[in-house]
Amino acid sequence: MRKIYLLLLIAFPLLASAQVITYDTIRVSPNDERNIHRTQRQQETAQTQQGRRVRQEPILLDRSSVSGFVFDKSKLRYGANIGLSLSRNYTVLGLGPQVGYLFSNNFMGGIGVKYYYTKLRTYDYEVKSSLLGVNTFGYYYPIRFLVFFVQPELSYIWSTLKYDSAGIDDRKESGLVPSFIVGGGLRLGGSHITLNYDLIRHSRSPYPSGFFLGVSAFL
């Protein structure tokens, strides 16, 4: 009997430990909270969804770091060419608004329109002309006080020539007149004083045949 009791005392702990091992390896439902694989899958799913949200978040770019042209309205410059000359035999009235953009400290470019009316009186005839033109222009500043100027221009001119002598009919003319003005001079703040020249020299060009003075101002 003592041997039987001794064997039972030795076998009882072994049976208890075996029962614990068996408990850990029993089969449970996939959705049972005791299922360690269910908890692991939930963690992996949460990490995957978080990674997808991070990838789907929009990336906001800083416009200041984007290379290329970015329009800045504070760099706009407004100016005008004004023509005014009144005398007994010659009259000029004109206005030419212009809009420029300061692309850099060394270059400004832009566009403009203008309307001019001229009247010339001689001893035997009178000429009245009107001009409506559009242009693009550019000012280059190699140094602070020096400027080089270029202005392609296309104008439509219509004029009437009236003779004082009886029997001579009035003559009317109209048409497109191209010009290409280049020049250079001084920059004084927002103003320019340049000596200009028309490279095309069309027979009906509104500009003199030689060099002429040009003045413009921008704010």
Side-chain angles (χ1 to χ4, degrees), residues 19-37:
Q19 186 177 3
V20 173
I21 294 173
T22 303
Y23 175 80
D24 287 343
T25 57
I26 62 174
R27 294 186 177 181
V28 296
S29 172
N31 296 324
D32 196 308
E33 62 181 4
R34 293 175 299 172
N35 191 330
I36 60 174
H37 300 290

Side-chain angles (χ1 to χ4, degrees), residues 1 35 41 91 177 190 209:
M1 290 295 292
N35 191 330
R41 285 196 302 269
T91 301
V177 177
S209 58

